[in-house]
Amino acid sequence: MVDLDGVRQAMLRGDGAPVHSIDNAYYKAYSAASITLGRSEGSTKEVAARMAKAAPSTVPQTPLPNVTYAVGGVTIKANGAAIGAIGVSGAPGGNFDEECAMSALAKVQDKLK
């Protein structure tokens, strides 16, 4: 989990999770906390879907540090306002990463103010 500045607020790694999943989860949370806000998107999945529909560009993309468009980053909102993001990595597929993130948020959503 990160705040809107991309600063880690919490981290949890499951037994047996690949070591790279720590960084990958952070990149997903960082991306959800930064890229999704400009277009009111709620996840890296939504960003990736939008980008896939965009016409190809001849302008090269500049790689941004800590940014990924991989599925599994979800914006955390309280009273409709973004307050941070959660990133999940390590499942056998990004769709499962996002499901895990959404499930975690659902368990605490009533506590977010």
mmCIF file of all heavy atoms in Angstrom, residues 56-103:
data_model
loop_
_atom_site.group_PDB
_atom_site.id
_atom_site.type_symbol
_atom_site.label_atom_id
_atom_site.label_comp_id
_atom_site.label_asym_id
_atom_site.label_seq_id
_atom_site.Cartn_x
_atom_site.Cartn_y
_atom_site.Cartn_z
ATOM 1 N N PRO A 56 -1.841 3.987 -32.243
ATOM 2 C CA PRO A 56 -0.384 3.965 -32.084
ATOM 3 C C PRO A 56 0.204 5.364 -32.282
ATOM 4 O O PRO A 56 -0.305 6.145 -33.067
ATOM 5 C CB PRO A 56 0.090 3.019 -33.187
ATOM 6 C CG PRO A 56 -1.115 2.255 -33.603
ATOM 7 C CD PRO A 56 -2.300 3.108 -33.293
ATOM 8 N N SER A 57 1.236 5.641 -31.556
ATOM 9 C CA SER A 57 1.887 6.944 -31.630
ATOM 10 C C SER A 57 3.310 6.787 -32.150
ATOM 11 O O SER A 57 3.971 5.789 -31.881
ATOM 12 C CB SER A 57 1.926 7.577 -30.234
ATOM 13 O OG SER A 57 2.684 8.763 -30.254
ATOM 14 N N THR A 58 3.754 7.778 -32.891
ATOM 15 C CA THR A 58 5.141 7.772 -33.352
ATOM 16 C C THR A 58 6.057 8.428 -32.333
ATOM 17 O O THR A 58 7.266 8.392 -32.478
ATOM 18 C CB THR A 58 5.273 8.511 -34.703
ATOM 19 O OG1 THR A 58 4.786 9.853 -34.541
ATOM 20 C CG2 THR A 58 4.478 7.804 -35.778
ATOM 21 N N VAL A 59 5.454 9.016 -31.300
ATOM 22 C CA VAL A 59 6.243 9.643 -30.248
ATOM 23 C C VAL A 59 6.672 8.551 -29.274
ATOM 24 O O VAL A 59 5.828 7.838 -28.724
ATOM 25 C CB VAL A 59 5.427 10.721 -29.503
ATOM 26 C CG1 VAL A 59 6.233 11.339 -28.385
ATOM 27 C CG2 VAL A 59 4.916 11.763 -30.474
ATOM 28 N N PRO A 60 7.969 8.380 -29.070
ATOM 29 C CA PRO A 60 8.402 7.328 -28.145
ATOM 30 C C PRO A 60 7.971 7.622 -26.711
ATOM 31 O O PRO A 60 7.986 8.764 -26.282
ATOM 32 C CB PRO A 60 9.924 7.329 -28.273
ATOM 33 C CG PRO A 60 10.281 8.602 -28.944
ATOM 34 C CD PRO A 60 9.059 9.125 -29.640
ATOM 35 N N GLN A 61 7.563 6.576 -26.012
ATOM 36 C CA GLN A 61 7.214 6.739 -24.604
ATOM 37 C C GLN A 61 8.481 6.770 -23.775
ATOM 38 O O GLN A 61 9.391 5.975 -23.987
ATOM 39 C CB GLN A 61 6.349 5.579 -24.124
ATOM 40 C CG GLN A 61 4.924 5.677 -24.550
ATOM 41 C CD GLN A 61 4.068 4.646 -23.822
ATOM 42 O OE1 GLN A 61 4.557 3.681 -23.266
ATOM 43 N NE2 GLN A 61 2.778 4.857 -23.831
ATOM 44 N N THR A 62 8.522 7.684 -22.848
ATOM 45 C CA THR A 62 9.645 7.756 -21.932
ATOM 46 C C THR A 62 9.341 6.863 -20.746
ATOM 47 O O THR A 62 8.304 7.027 -20.094
ATOM 48 C CB THR A 62 9.849 9.209 -21.438
ATOM 49 O OG1 THR A 62 10.028 10.052 -22.571
ATOM 50 C CG2 THR A 62 11.030 9.309 -20.511
ATOM 51 N N PRO A 63 10.208 5.890 -20.467
ATOM 52 C CA PRO A 63 9.952 5.040 -19.298
ATOM 53 C C PRO A 63 9.992 5.872 -18.014
ATOM 54 O O PRO A 63 10.895 6.685 -17.824
ATOM 55 C CB PRO A 63 11.091 4.024 -19.312
ATOM 56 C CG PRO A 63 11.861 4.253 -20.558
ATOM 57 C CD PRO A 63 11.415 5.546 -21.161
ATOM 58 N N LEU A 64 9.013 5.691 -17.190
ATOM 59 C CA LEU A 64 8.948 6.405 -15.923
ATOM 60 C C LEU A 64 9.344 5.468 -14.799
ATOM 61 O O LEU A 64 8.925 4.303 -14.779
ATOM 62 C CB LEU A 64 7.531 6.931 -15.683
ATOM 63 C CG LEU A 64 7.004 7.905 -16.723
ATOM 64 C CD1 LEU A 64 5.529 8.184 -16.494
ATOM 65 C CD2 LEU A 64 7.796 9.198 -16.680
ATOM 66 N N PRO A 65 10.139 5.942 -13.845
ATOM 67 C CA PRO A 65 10.538 5.066 -12.736
ATOM 68 C C PRO A 65 9.320 4.588 -11.937
ATOM 69 O O PRO A 65 8.407 5.353 -11.682
ATOM 70 C CB PRO A 65 11.439 5.937 -11.865
ATOM 71 C CG PRO A 65 11.500 7.266 -12.494
ATOM 72 C CD PRO A 65 10.653 7.278 -13.721
ATOM 73 N N ASN A 66 9.319 3.323 -11.582
ATOM 74 C CA ASN A 66 8.301 2.711 -10.725
ATOM 75 C C ASN A 66 6.926 2.570 -11.373
ATOM 76 O O ASN A 66 5.977 2.202 -10.689
ATOM 77 C CB ASN A 66 8.144 3.469 -9.395
ATOM 78 C CG ASN A 66 9.436 3.584 -8.642
ATOM 79 O OD1 ASN A 66 10.248 2.672 -8.660
ATOM 80 N ND2 ASN A 66 9.648 4.707 -7.993
ATOM 81 N N VAL A 67 6.790 2.876 -12.650
ATOM 82 C CA VAL A 67 5.489 2.822 -13.305
ATOM 83 C C VAL A 67 5.349 1.538 -14.104
ATOM 84 O O VAL A 67 6.245 1.143 -14.835
ATOM 85 C CB VAL A 67 5.273 4.040 -14.224
ATOM 86 C CG1 VAL A 67 4.023 3.882 -15.072
ATOM 87 C CG2 VAL A 67 5.186 5.308 -13.383
ATOM 88 N N THR A 68 4.199 0.895 -13.936
ATOM 89 C CA THR A 68 3.849 -0.294 -14.710
ATOM 90 C C THR A 68 2.379 -0.211 -15.073
ATOM 91 O O THR A 68 1.595 0.441 -14.380
ATOM 92 C CB THR A 68 4.128 -1.595 -13.926
ATOM 93 O OG1 THR A 68 3.848 -2.712 -14.774
ATOM 94 C CG2 THR A 68 3.288 -1.705 -12.674
ATOM 95 N N TYR A 69 2.037 -0.856 -16.149
ATOM 96 C CA TYR A 69 0.636 -0.918 -16.557
ATOM 97 C C TYR A 69 0.087 -2.320 -16.336
ATOM 98 O O TYR A 69 -0.962 -2.678 -16.841
ATOM 99 C CB TYR A 69 0.491 -0.488 -18.023
ATOM 100 C CG TYR A 69 1.050 0.905 -18.232
ATOM 101 C CD1 TYR A 69 2.266 1.100 -18.871
ATOM 102 C CD2 TYR A 69 0.381 2.011 -17.737
ATOM 103 C CE1 TYR A 69 2.789 2.370 -19.023
ATOM 104 C CE2 TYR A 69 0.899 3.290 -17.877
ATOM 105 C CZ TYR A 69 2.106 3.457 -18.529
ATOM 106 O OH TYR A 69 2.621 4.718 -18.672
ATOM 107 N N ALA A 70 0.788 -3.100 -15.556
ATOM 108 C CA ALA A 70 0.359 -4.463 -15.253
ATOM 109 C C ALA A 70 -0.871 -4.431 -14.346
ATOM 110 O O ALA A 70 -1.019 -3.561 -13.482
ATOM 111 C CB ALA A 70 1.484 -5.229 -14.568
ATOM 112 N N VAL A 71 -1.745 -5.384 -14.527
ATOM 113 C CA VAL A 71 -2.974 -5.481 -13.740
ATOM 114 C C VAL A 71 -2.637 -5.885 -12.306
ATOM 115 O O VAL A 71 -1.789 -6.740 -12.078
ATOM 116 C CB VAL A 71 -3.930 -6.513 -14.381
ATOM 117 C CG1 VAL A 71 -5.178 -6.702 -13.538
ATOM 118 C CG2 VAL A 71 -4.300 -6.075 -15.792
ATOM 119 N N GLY A 72 -3.302 -5.239 -11.343
ATOM 120 C CA GLY A 72 -3.100 -5.565 -9.934
ATOM 121 C C GLY A 72 -2.925 -4.349 -9.049
ATOM 122 O O GLY A 72 -2.778 -4.469 -7.844
ATOM 123 N N GLY A 73 -2.954 -3.147 -9.631
ATOM 124 C CA GLY A 73 -2.890 -1.908 -8.855
ATOM 125 C C GLY A 73 -4.269 -1.287 -8.778
ATOM 126 O O GLY A 73 -4.921 -1.098 -9.804
ATOM 127 N N VAL A 74 -4.736 -0.974 -7.571
ATOM 128 C CA VAL A 74 -6.090 -0.451 -7.379
ATOM 129 C C VAL A 74 -6.031 0.782 -6.488
ATOM 130 O O VAL A 74 -5.395 0.774 -5.433
ATOM 131 C CB VAL A 74 -7.012 -1.524 -6.743
ATOM 132 C CG1 VAL A 74 -8.396 -0.970 -6.487
ATOM 133 C CG2 VAL A 74 -7.088 -2.751 -7.639
ATOM 134 N N THR A 75 -6.721 1.837 -6.917
ATOM 135 C CA THR A 75 -6.787 3.074 -6.149
ATOM 136 C C THR A 75 -7.670 2.870 -4.917
ATOM 137 O O THR A 75 -8.725 2.254 -4.998
ATOM 138 C CB THR A 75 -7.361 4.209 -7.013
ATOM 139 O OG1 THR A 75 -6.597 4.293 -8.222
ATOM 140 C CG2 THR A 75 -7.302 5.540 -6.297
ATOM 141 N N ILE A 76 -7.214 3.401 -3.788
ATOM 142 C CA ILE A 76 -7.991 3.355 -2.543
ATOM 143 C C ILE A 76 -8.707 4.691 -2.410
ATOM 144 O O ILE A 76 -8.066 5.745 -2.455
ATOM 145 C CB ILE A 76 -7.086 3.130 -1.315
ATOM 146 C CG1 ILE A 76 -6.306 1.828 -1.450
ATOM 147 C CG2 ILE A 76 -7.919 3.146 -0.031
ATOM 148 C CD1 ILE A 76 -5.209 1.675 -0.399
ATOM 149 N N LYS A 77 -10.022 4.637 -2.232
ATOM 150 C CA LYS A 77 -10.805 5.867 -2.096
ATOM 151 C C LYS A 77 -11.565 5.871 -0.781
ATOM 152 O O LYS A 77 -12.018 4.837 -0.313
ATOM 153 C CB LYS A 77 -11.788 6.002 -3.255
ATOM 154 C CG LYS A 77 -11.103 6.215 -4.594
ATOM 155 C CD LYS A 77 -12.085 6.441 -5.698
ATOM 156 C CE LYS A 77 -11.327 6.685 -7.006
ATOM 157 N NZ LYS A 77 -12.233 6.956 -8.103
ATOM 158 N N ALA A 78 -11.695 7.061 -0.227
ATOM 159 C CA ALA A 78 -12.505 7.277 0.968
ATOM 160 C C ALA A 78 -13.415 8.456 0.675
ATOM 161 O O ALA A 78 -12.939 9.521 0.262
ATOM 162 C CB ALA A 78 -11.627 7.568 2.180
ATOM 163 N N ASN A 79 -14.690 8.270 0.834
ATOM 164 C CA ASN A 79 -15.682 9.297 0.515
ATOM 165 C C ASN A 79 -15.503 9.831 -0.901
ATOM 166 O O ASN A 79 -15.643 11.020 -1.151
ATOM 167 C CB ASN A 79 -15.618 10.439 1.536
ATOM 168 C CG ASN A 79 -15.977 9.984 2.922
ATOM 169 O OD1 ASN A 79 -16.889 9.178 3.101
ATOM 170 N ND2 ASN A 79 -15.269 10.464 3.925
ATOM 171 N N GLY A 80 -15.157 8.957 -1.836
ATOM 172 C CA GLY A 80 -15.015 9.330 -3.238
ATOM 173 C C GLY A 80 -13.691 9.965 -3.618
ATOM 174 O O GLY A 80 -13.442 10.210 -4.787
ATOM 175 N N ALA A 81 -12.842 10.224 -2.642
ATOM 176 C CA ALA A 81 -11.546 10.851 -2.926
ATOM 177 C C ALA A 81 -10.422 9.822 -2.793
ATOM 178 O O ALA A 81 -10.407 9.025 -1.854
ATOM 179 C CB ALA A 81 -11.293 12.004 -1.959
ATOM 180 N N ALA A 82 -9.498 9.858 -3.729
ATOM 181 C CA ALA A 82 -8.347 8.950 -3.675
ATOM 182 C C ALA A 82 -7.470 9.299 -2.482
ATOM 183 O O ALA A 82 -7.186 10.469 -2.230
ATOM 184 C CB ALA A 82 -7.547 9.045 -4.958
ATOM 185 N N ILE A 83 -7.052 8.252 -1.742
ATOM 186 C CA ILE A 83 -6.164 8.471 -0.592
ATOM 187 C C ILE A 83 -4.892 7.632 -0.696
ATOM 188 O O ILE A 83 -3.981 7.774 0.108
ATOM 189 C CB ILE A 83 -6.875 8.177 0.748
ATOM 190 C CG1 ILE A 83 -7.347 6.720 0.812
ATOM 191 C CG2 ILE A 83 -8.033 9.152 0.962
ATOM 192 C CD1 ILE A 83 -7.835 6.293 2.185
ATOM 193 N N GLY A 84 -4.830 6.739 -1.672
ATOM 194 C CA GLY A 84 -3.662 5.888 -1.832
ATOM 195 C C GLY A 84 -3.971 4.777 -2.806
ATOM 196 O O GLY A 84 -4.917 4.866 -3.588
ATOM 197 N N ALA A 85 -3.170 3.715 -2.755
ATOM 198 C CA ALA A 85 -3.387 2.586 -3.662
ATOM 199 C C ALA A 85 -2.800 1.323 -3.064
ATOM 200 O O ALA A 85 -1.913 1.372 -2.209
ATOM 201 C CB ALA A 85 -2.771 2.866 -5.020
ATOM 202 N N ILE A 86 -3.310 0.212 -3.545
ATOM 203 C CA ILE A 86 -2.815 -1.094 -3.144
ATOM 204 C C ILE A 86 -2.342 -1.813 -4.408
ATOM 205 O O ILE A 86 -2.951 -1.677 -5.464
ATOM 206 C CB ILE A 86 -3.910 -1.913 -2.413
ATOM 207 C CG1 ILE A 86 -3.364 -3.239 -1.907
ATOM 208 C CG2 ILE A 86 -5.133 -2.104 -3.279
ATOM 209 C CD1 ILE A 86 -4.339 -3.999 -0.995
ATOM 210 N N GLY A 87 -1.250 -2.531 -4.279
ATOM 211 C CA GLY A 87 -0.739 -3.318 -5.391
ATOM 212 C C GLY A 87 -0.551 -4.751 -4.945
ATOM 213 O O GLY A 87 -0.065 -5.004 -3.846
ATOM 214 N N VAL A 88 -0.951 -5.686 -5.791
ATOM 215 C CA VAL A 88 -0.814 -7.103 -5.491
ATOM 216 C C VAL A 88 -0.072 -7.770 -6.627
ATOM 217 O O VAL A 88 -0.330 -7.495 -7.798
ATOM 218 C CB VAL A 88 -2.201 -7.769 -5.296
ATOM 219 C CG1 VAL A 88 -2.065 -9.271 -5.102
ATOM 220 C CG2 VAL A 88 -2.926 -7.149 -4.114
ATOM 221 N N SER A 89 0.866 -8.648 -6.268
ATOM 222 C CA SER A 89 1.635 -9.389 -7.269
ATOM 223 C C SER A 89 1.929 -10.772 -6.727
ATOM 224 O O SER A 89 2.072 -10.951 -5.523
ATOM 225 C CB SER A 89 2.940 -8.659 -7.571
ATOM 226 O OG SER A 89 3.712 -9.363 -8.510
ATOM 227 N N GLY A 90 2.027 -11.736 -7.625
ATOM 228 C CA GLY A 90 2.413 -13.072 -7.199
ATOM 229 C C GLY A 90 1.428 -14.152 -7.568
ATOM 230 O O GLY A 90 1.761 -15.333 -7.561
ATOM 231 N N ALA A 91 0.200 -13.763 -7.899
ATOM 232 C CA ALA A 91 -0.776 -14.774 -8.328
ATOM 233 C C ALA A 91 -0.432 -15.218 -9.743
ATOM 234 O O ALA A 91 0.269 -14.512 -10.459
ATOM 235 C CB ALA A 91 -2.190 -14.193 -8.272
ATOM 236 N N PRO A 92 -0.934 -16.351 -10.160
ATOM 237 C CA PRO A 92 -0.650 -16.806 -11.525
ATOM 238 C C PRO A 92 -1.518 -16.084 -12.552
ATOM 239 O O PRO A 92 -2.331 -16.677 -13.236
ATOM 240 C CB PRO A 92 -0.955 -18.303 -11.474
ATOM 241 C CG PRO A 92 -1.980 -18.432 -10.404
ATOM 242 C CD PRO A 92 -1.660 -17.356 -9.398
ATOM 243 N N GLY A 93 -1.391 -14.774 -12.607
ATOM 244 C CA GLY A 93 -2.149 -13.962 -13.561
ATOM 245 C C GLY A 93 -2.596 -12.669 -12.926
ATOM 246 O O GLY A 93 -3.006 -12.645 -11.766
ATOM 247 N N GLY A 94 -2.487 -11.572 -13.686
ATOM 248 C CA GLY A 94 -2.858 -10.259 -13.167
ATOM 249 C C GLY A 94 -4.311 -10.154 -12.769
ATOM 250 O O GLY A 94 -4.649 -9.422 -11.841
ATOM 251 N N ASN A 95 -5.196 -10.903 -13.453
ATOM 252 C CA ASN A 95 -6.601 -10.833 -13.074
ATOM 253 C C ASN A 95 -6.798 -11.300 -11.630
ATOM 254 O O ASN A 95 -7.638 -10.770 -10.909
ATOM 255 C CB ASN A 95 -7.473 -11.648 -14.031
ATOM 256 C CG ASN A 95 -7.049 -13.103 -14.123
ATOM 257 O OD1 ASN A 95 -5.855 -13.409 -14.152
ATOM 258 N ND2 ASN A 95 -8.006 -14.001 -14.185
ATOM 259 N N PHE A 96 -6.012 -12.272 -11.193
ATOM 260 C CA PHE A 96 -6.111 -12.732 -9.808
ATOM 261 C C PHE A 96 -5.505 -11.704 -8.851
ATOM 262 O O PHE A 96 -5.973 -11.553 -7.727
ATOM 263 C CB PHE A 96 -5.432 -14.083 -9.638
ATOM 264 C CG PHE A 96 -6.059 -15.177 -10.449
ATOM 265 C CD1 PHE A 96 -5.355 -15.794 -11.457
ATOM 266 C CD2 PHE A 96 -7.371 -15.574 -10.217
ATOM 267 C CE1 PHE A 96 -5.937 -16.802 -12.223
ATOM 268 C CE2 PHE A 96 -7.967 -16.582 -10.967
ATOM 269 C CZ PHE A 96 -7.247 -17.193 -11.982
ATOM 270 N N ASP A 97 -4.455 -11.009 -9.295
ATOM 271 C CA ASP A 97 -3.870 -9.957 -8.465
ATOM 272 C C ASP A 97 -4.900 -8.873 -8.184
ATOM 273 O O ASP A 97 -5.067 -8.429 -7.053
ATOM 274 C CB ASP A 97 -2.645 -9.338 -9.152
ATOM 275 C CG ASP A 97 -1.445 -10.264 -9.212
ATOM 276 O OD1 ASP A 97 -1.372 -11.219 -8.410
ATOM 277 O OD2 ASP A 97 -0.564 -10.021 -10.052
ATOM 278 N N GLU A 98 -5.614 -8.449 -9.224
ATOM 279 C CA GLU A 98 -6.618 -7.406 -9.019
ATOM 280 C C GLU A 98 -7.762 -7.905 -8.146
ATOM 281 O O GLU A 98 -8.245 -7.173 -7.279
ATOM 282 C CB GLU A 98 -7.167 -6.884 -10.348
ATOM 283 C CG GLU A 98 -8.186 -5.784 -10.107
ATOM 284 C CD GLU A 98 -8.521 -4.970 -11.322
ATOM 285 O OE1 GLU A 98 -7.609 -4.611 -12.074
ATOM 286 O OE2 GLU A 98 -9.717 -4.678 -11.496
ATOM 287 N N GLU A 99 -8.201 -9.129 -8.352
ATOM 288 C CA GLU A 99 -9.261 -9.690 -7.508
ATOM 289 C C GLU A 99 -8.848 -9.685 -6.038
ATOM 290 O O GLU A 99 -9.650 -9.374 -5.162
ATOM 291 C CB GLU A 99 -9.590 -11.117 -7.942
ATOM 292 C CG GLU A 99 -10.374 -11.219 -9.229
ATOM 293 C CD GLU A 99 -10.615 -12.661 -9.647
ATOM 294 O OE1 GLU A 99 -10.586 -13.568 -8.786
ATOM 295 O OE2 GLU A 99 -10.833 -12.880 -10.849
ATOM 296 N N CYS A 100 -7.603 -10.025 -5.774
ATOM 297 C CA CYS A 100 -7.087 -10.032 -4.402
ATOM 298 C C CYS A 100 -7.097 -8.618 -3.817
ATOM 299 O O CYS A 100 -7.513 -8.410 -2.678
ATOM 300 C CB CYS A 100 -5.681 -10.625 -4.387
ATOM 301 S SG CYS A 100 -4.970 -10.774 -2.741
ATOM 302 N N ALA A 101 -6.649 -7.642 -4.605
ATOM 303 C CA ALA A 101 -6.633 -6.251 -4.143
ATOM 304 C C ALA A 101 -8.044 -5.756 -3.861
ATOM 305 O O ALA A 101 -8.301 -5.128 -2.825
ATOM 306 C CB ALA A 101 -5.953 -5.366 -5.178
ATOM 307 N N MET A 102 -8.973 -6.051 -4.764
ATOM 308 C CA MET A 102 -10.357 -5.613 -4.585
ATOM 309 C C MET A 102 -10.994 -6.276 -3.363
ATOM 310 O O MET A 102 -11.740 -5.634 -2.619
ATOM 311 C CB MET A 102 -11.170 -5.920 -5.845
ATOM 312 C CG MET A 102 -10.689 -5.180 -7.092
ATOM 313 S SD MET A 102 -10.836 -3.397 -6.974
ATOM 314 C CE MET A 102 -12.584 -3.211 -7.159
ATOM 315 N N SER A 103 -10.685 -7.543 -3.144
ATOM 316 C CA SER A 103 -11.206 -8.265 -1.988
ATOM 317 C C SER A 103 -10.690 -7.651 -0.691
ATOM 318 O O SER A 103 -11.441 -7.481 0.275
ATOM 319 C CB SER A 103 -10.821 -9.736 -2.083
ATOM 320 O OG SER A 103 -11.274 -10.444 -0.962
#
